[in-house]
């Protein structure tokens, strides 16, 4: 065992060095220091189906230290998931081996990682999903570990500790995290930037902590086994390692972090490791030994499949299994009815919608960043309880004041599969979780971000809580659906859009202040128009003389403004610029006829974005400065968000 383990690790290190050298780009040092642990984990402990990298009850492995990607690719090659040609095409265009792992590209990659700390936080989301589904489906159907490999840089990012605090609180005993403590980062020794005693910190966060020599194979095996036996706390294995372990002359050098090894160093290192001089060498006996477990794992997966089919005879199991596996576009959701003419904040409409559908969507799980009453998730929390605190079938995730961990945990839940995550906070705090939102889009994850208090109408809380640039800024993220509904009717359509997405995340922007509920009898397009992003809400006879475009709370302002003109005015509601821009040109020209150049737009945020629709000479009512602490009505008058002022701006131009 020891001799073959050493030989396998040497082969993995050889692939790391050769892959990085051929690409002339990459990070060999950390990958080599982590190779002992990762190779033992994959070859002796990790449970997966060699014929199906997406088998539902597989152990998940997340490489939070995404820069160590060649380590993961080497192991995935030994798994049979990627070819040697893939290894040789490391970091090349259209390859399955990009610079950092990408979940939608490479079989066996569980999460897109690279932005440090987020892989660790996503791991918590994976474990949340596993714990919930284990309770709902039974431990004979859902029972796997979630492993994560982290670096010094991962744990320096505060998101990791925020997520770790929740993992400890929630008692996620199926997490086994490995911290490769090689004490080197890109700029030099970690002591230049960090003095943290991670053993004390994680013990203080209610974790089970084990410290080992990360190059001692017996200690590594014992630590993994101890982590598996600890069921009430997540486990952190601190592996004290040497950067670029095994190198001929560069062990411990920070230069190996992000630079390929030179040819002479690679040659000398291969000789030291007992490898032949040839590039990309994988010995047949290594491959045979590594895959010795495969038949047993195949048999286990087959028995699992047979068990699931047998359990389908149970009506309750079949019902939840159907929900867990149902494609999102096939969901049938009965949304509530709203009374036209009444006034309701769109955040309240969201809460009403959530209350209405939460029983029929048992896979809907989520919560608020300590803003439950404000985000209208309190009734969801009261009804279903706090996850872990009230049992693992409780569906409210009490994230606390942790927006960034919240967003990354949602990504992990979605990546695991089987659940529909949502998270809520104030729009101005979307900045805290922006990079995780970007990672939602990059990973093609249909998570739902609920952002309330979407404009200066927040009022008395003042400029710290009044978003100005946030909606426009989030619209810049590719493949993120922006949803800013005009009223309760549009809110439920926007939520239906978000819930039925397959690949794109959605951010819904909701008001604190009440808005008039539109009457579908007067405005029939409100019932389906939002699905196209922008639509004609109120039209005129023939070709309009003027087009007013608005989103969210400013749609009612546009309708009132239109009444102040005697000429023909069309009012366009645009809850989603992303969805509107994706429509065929014929439809966009139908809504915004090119020959009608007299156009004005209104949104309580940055003006810049709207010139793409009204033209550079068009009129935009917006706000390009910070707000102030005062009642919302006072601020609307001060900033000109009145029908009279909007009409005056338009008359001055047209």
């Amino acid at each position: 065992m020891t001799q073959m383990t050493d030989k396998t690790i040497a082969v993995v290190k050889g692939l790391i060095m050769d892959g990085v050298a051929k690409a002339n780009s990459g990070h060999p040092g950390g990958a080599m220091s982590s190779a002992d642990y990762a190779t033992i984990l994959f070859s002796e402990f990790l449970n997966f189906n060699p014929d199906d990298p997406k088998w539902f009850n597989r152990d998940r492995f997340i490489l939070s230290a995404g820069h160590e990607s060649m380590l993961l690719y080497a192991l995935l090659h030994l798994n049979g998931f990627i070819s040697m040609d893939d290894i040789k095409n490391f970091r090349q265009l259209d390859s399955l081996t990009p610079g950092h792992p990408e979940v939608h590209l490479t079989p066996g990659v569980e999460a897109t990682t690279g932005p440090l700390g987020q892989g660790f936080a996503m791991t918590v989301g994976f474990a949340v999903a596993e714990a919930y589904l284990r309770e709902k489906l039974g431990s004979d159907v859902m029972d796997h570990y979630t492993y994560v490999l982290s670096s010094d840089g991962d744990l320096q990012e505060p998101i990791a500790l925020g997520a770790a605090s929740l993992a400890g609180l929630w008692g996620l005993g199926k997490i086994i995290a490995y911290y490769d403590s090689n004490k080197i980062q890109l700029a030099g020794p970690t002591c230049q930037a960090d003095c943290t005693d991670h053993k004390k910190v994680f013990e203080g966060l209610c974790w089970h902590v084990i410290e080992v020599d990360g190059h001692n194979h017996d200690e590594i095996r014992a630590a993994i086994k101890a982590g598996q036996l600890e069921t009430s706390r997540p486990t952190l294995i601190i592996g004290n390692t040497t950067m670029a372990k095994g190198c001929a002359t560069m062990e411990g050098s920070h230069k190996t972090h992000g630079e390929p090894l030179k040819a002479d160093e690679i040659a000398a290192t291969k000789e030291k490791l007992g490898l032949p001089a040839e590039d990309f060498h994988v010995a047949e006996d290594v491959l045979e030994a590594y895959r010795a477990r495969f038949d047993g794992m195949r048999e286990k997966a087959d028995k699992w499949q047979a068990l699931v089919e047998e359990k389908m005879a149970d009506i309750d199991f079949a019902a939840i299994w159907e929900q867990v596996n149902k494609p999102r576009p096939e969901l049938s959701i009965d949304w509530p009815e709203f009374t036209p003419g009444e006034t309701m904040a769109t955040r309240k409409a969201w809460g009403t919608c959530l209350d209405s559908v939460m029983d029929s969507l048992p896979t809907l799980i989520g919560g608020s960043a300590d803003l439950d009453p404000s985000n209208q998730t309190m009734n969801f929390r009261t009804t279903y309880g706090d996850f872990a605190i009230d049992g693992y079938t409780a569906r409210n995730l009490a994230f606390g004041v942790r927006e960034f961990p919240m967003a990354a945990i949602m990504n992990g839940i979605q990546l695991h599969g089987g659940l529909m995550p949502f998270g809520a906070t104030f729009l101005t705090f979307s900045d805290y979780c922006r990079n995780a939102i970007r990672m939602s889009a990059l990973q093609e994850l249909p998570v739902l971000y609920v952002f309330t208090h979407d404009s200066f109408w927040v009022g008395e809380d003042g400029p710290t809580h009044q978003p100005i640039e946030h909606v426009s800024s989030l619209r810049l993220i590719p493949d993120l659906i922006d949803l800013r509904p005009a009223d309760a009717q549009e809110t439920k359509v926007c939520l239906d859009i978000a819930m039925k997405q397959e690949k794109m995340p959605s951010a819904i922007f909701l008001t604190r202040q009440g808005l008039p509920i539109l009457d579908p009898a007067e405005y029939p397009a409100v019932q389906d128009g939002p699905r196209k992003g922008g639509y004609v809400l109120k039209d005129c006879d023939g070709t309009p003389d003027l087009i007013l475009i608005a989103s969210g709370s400013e749609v009612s302002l546009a309708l009132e403004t239109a009444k102040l003109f005697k000429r023909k005015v069309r009012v366009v509601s645009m809850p989603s610029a992303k969805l509107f821009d994706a429509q065929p040109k014929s439809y966009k020209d139908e809504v915004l006829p090119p020959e009608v150049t007299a156009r004005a737009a209104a949104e309580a945020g940055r003006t810049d974005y709207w010139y793409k629709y009204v033209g550079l000479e068009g009129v935009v009512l917006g706000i390009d400065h910070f707000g102030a602490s005062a009642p919302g009505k006072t601020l609307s008058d001060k900033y000109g968000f009145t029908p009279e002022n909007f009409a005056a701006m338009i008359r001055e131009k047209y």
Side-chain angles (χ1 to χ4, degrees):
M1 170 73 79
T2 301
Q3 186 175 1
M4 183 52 67
T5 300
D6 290 341
K7 189 172 183 179
T8 304
I9 292 168
V11 165
V12 168
K13 290 182 178 181
L15 293 177
I16 291 167
M17 292 187 291
D18 289 341
V20 172
K22 186 174 186 298
N24 196 29
S25 176
H27 301 73
M32 294 177 74
S33 69
S34 301
D36 294 271
Y37 172 81
T39 303
I40 290 171
L41 176 67
F42 268 66
S43 62
E44 300 178 28
F45 292 92
L46 198 70
N47 185 38
F48 60 95
N49 184 349
D51 301 324
D52 180 10
K54 291 296 185 182
W55 177 49
F56 197 43
N57 197 35
R58 68 192 181 277
D59 287 338
R60 270 60 165 186
F61 172 81
I62 295 91
L63 182 68
S64 191
H67 56 281
E68 297 184 12
S69 56
M70 262 309 302
L71 169 61
L72 178 56
Y73 297 148
L75 294 167
L76 293 180
H77 173 66
L78 297 182
N79 281 2
F81 292 162
I82 61 176
S83 70
M84 184 57 76
D85 284 341
D86 295 322
I87 296 289
K88 293 177 180 178
N89 284 324
F90 179 53
R91 292 192 165 216
Q92 304 310 299
L93 182 65
D94 297 328
S95 76
L96 294 182
T97 49
H100 293 84
E102 296 184 37
V103 65
H104 60 290
L105 286 181
T106 312
V109 169
E110 300 287 0
T112 299
T113 54
L116 292 174
Q118 288 197 57
F120 189 99
M122 285 188 284
T123 297
V124 178
F126 276 91
V128 166
E130 189 276 339
Y132 179 81
L133 292 173
R134 179 165 18 104
E135 291 293 310
K136 300 294 285 187
L137 298 172
S139 59
D140 51 352
V141 171
M142 177 56 54
D143 183 26
H144 67 79
Y145 293 100
T146 303
Y147 298 94
V148 59
L149 193 161
S150 299
S151 64
D152 291 287
D154 279 298
L155 300 190
Q156 286 175 17
E157 286 287 356
I159 182 178
L161 297 185
S165 180
L166 288 171
L169 174 68
W170 292 339
L172 296 174
K174 304 291 277 190
I175 291 177
I176 299 179
Y178 179 76
Y179 164 34
D180 183 62
S181 179
N182 60 42
K183 301 174 181 61
I184 293 291
Q185 55 198 92
L186 190 146
T190 56
C191 62
Q192 294 178 339
D194 198 6
C195 67
T196 306
D197 185 330
H198 288 96
K199 187 175 189 296
K200 289 181 179 178
V201 168
F202 274 79
E203 286 176 342
L205 296 174
C206 307
W207 281 58
H208 172 220
V209 183
I210 306 167
E211 195 161 5
V212 300
D213 175 348
H215 304 303
N216 184 308
H217 299 168
D218 289 336
E219 289 187 21
I220 289 171
R221 292 185 184 100
I224 295 173
K225 291 174 183 176
Q228 292 176 337
L229 291 172
E230 172 56 66
T231 59
S232 63
R233 294 177 294 168
T235 293
L236 177 70
I237 302 170
I238 301 175
N240 294 297
T241 61
T242 301
M243 189 70 159
K245 178 66 174 178
C247 273
T249 66
M250 297 191 70
E251 279 191 359
S253 172
H254 72 274
K255 292 183 179 180
T256 66
H257 173 87
E259 298 178 15
L261 301 179
K262 303 298 183 185
D264 57 348
E265 180 71 17
I266 293 175
T269 299
K270 286 182 176 180
E271 183 177 357
K272 177 182 176 181
L273 295 174
L275 293 171
E278 68 182 87
D279 293 339
F280 301 101
H281 168 77
V282 178
E284 283 299 321
D285 59 340
V286 165
L287 207 56
E288 183 179 347
Y290 184 93
R291 297 180 179 179
R293 297 191 307 136
F294 281 18
D295 286 344
M297 290 195 292
R298 290 186 179 101
E299 182 179 350
K300 184 174 183 178
D302 289 342
K303 287 181 178 179
W304 178 90
Q305 184 61 44
L307 173 68
V308 170
E309 292 171 5
E310 179 183 325
K311 293 187 66 151
M312 289 298 285
D314 182 299
I315 295 174
D316 293 336
F317 177 86
I320 187 65
W321 185 255
E322 181 185 9
Q323 285 284 340
V324 165
N325 290 279
K326 179 173 285 189
R328 294 275 285 262
E330 295 179 14
L331 288 173
S332 178
I333 306 174
D334 292 325
W335 298 103
E337 296 298 323
F338 294 101
T339 304
E342 291 187 356
T343 297
M344 178 181 285
T346 52
R347 65 163 173 157
K348 175 62 175 175
W350 141 253
T352 302
C353 287
L354 178 62
D355 293 348
S356 178
V357 305
M358 59 187 181
D359 287 342
S360 61
L361 295 175
T363 59
L364 184 66
I365 186 170
S368 168
D370 197 47
L371 293 167
D372 304 76
S374 298
N375 294 154
Q376 298 292 301
T377 59
M378 182 58 80
N379 194 46
F380 181 81
R381 179 177 189 170
T382 301
T383 303
Y384 290 109
D386 286 328
F387 176 78
I389 306 300
D390 298 312
Y392 289 109
T393 57
R395 289 162 57 188
N396 183 78
L397 298 172
F399 291 109
V401 189
R402 298 183 182 92
E403 287 87 359
F404 195 4
M406 174 183 76
I409 288 170
M410 289 197 300
N411 287 342
I413 293 171
Q414 188 67 59
L415 283 164
H416 180 280
L419 300 179
M420 301 169 57
F422 73 88
T425 187
F426 288 174
L427 176 55
T428 191
F429 302 140
S430 64
D431 284 341
Y432 285 135
C433 48
R434 182 183 178 88
N435 200 263
I437 298 172
R438 182 178 187 271
M439 294 298 289
S440 300
L442 185 61
Q443 296 182 90
E444 302 179 350
L445 303 178
V447 300
L448 172 60
Y449 292 92
V450 178
F451 294 125
T452 68
H453 297 60
D454 72 344
S455 71
F456 69 81
W457 291 90
V458 171
E460 292 88 343
D461 276 343
T464 59
H465 285 56
Q466 295 170 8
I468 301 297
E469 75 280 14
H470 299 75
V471 174
S472 289
S473 176
L474 288 168
R475 286 184 180 130
L476 297 177
I477 298 178
D479 301 326
L480 172 69
I481 300 176
D482 59 311
L483 298 164
R484 189 166 186 254
D487 77 327
Q489 309 284 17
E490 279 197 1
T491 298
K492 66 181 179 182
V493 182
C494 287
L495 287 170
D496 196 71
I497 292 168
M499 294 287 193
K500 293 179 179 177
Q501 287 302 309
E502 285 189 285
K503 292 186 175 181
M504 288 192 288
S506 301
I508 189 166
F509 311 114
L510 304 169
T511 67
R512 178 197 188 194
Q513 78 276 18
L515 300 173
I517 298 176
L518 299 172
D519 187 349
E522 183 178 359
Y523 305 108
V526 75
Q527 299 178 87
D528 213 40
R531 297 186 189 281
K532 293 188 175 180
Y535 66 100
V536 179
L537 177 64
K538 182 182 184 300
D539 212 355
C540 56
D541 294 329
T543 302
D545 299 319
L546 171 68
I547 299 176
L548 303 183
I549 313 167
S551 82
S553 51
E554 286 62 64
V555 172
S556 56
L557 170 64
L559 289 171
E560 291 301 311
T561 302
K563 296 175 182 178
L564 302 180
F565 291 95
K566 293 182 179 180
R567 48 184 149 168
K568 294 184 290 184
V569 181
R570 169 180 291 181
V571 176
V572 171
S573 176
M574 194 175 292
S576 177
K578 170 68 178 178
L579 294 179
F580 182 73
D581 289 347
Q583 299 305 313
K585 184 176 185 299
S586 58
Y587 175 77
K588 290 185 283 189
D589 287 348
E590 181 183 332
V591 175
L592 302 175
E595 66 271 19
V596 182
T597 57
R599 302 180 184 184
E603 183 175 66
R606 292 280 304 186
T607 59
D608 316 57
Y609 194 87
W610 292 94
Y611 287 105
K612 67 186 290 186
Y613 301 116
V614 303
L616 294 178
E617 300 302 318
V619 173
V620 179
L621 172 61
I623 179 170
D624 292 318
H625 55 80
F626 294 121
S629 180
K633 179 62 170 64
T634 301
L635 294 177
S636 67
D637 293 338
K638 177 177 176 61
Y639 300 145
F641 280 78
T642 64
E644 294 75 18
N645 180 65
F646 193 25
M649 292 173 64
I650 295 167
R651 289 193 180 101
E652 184 178 348
K653 182 68 179 181
Y654 302 114

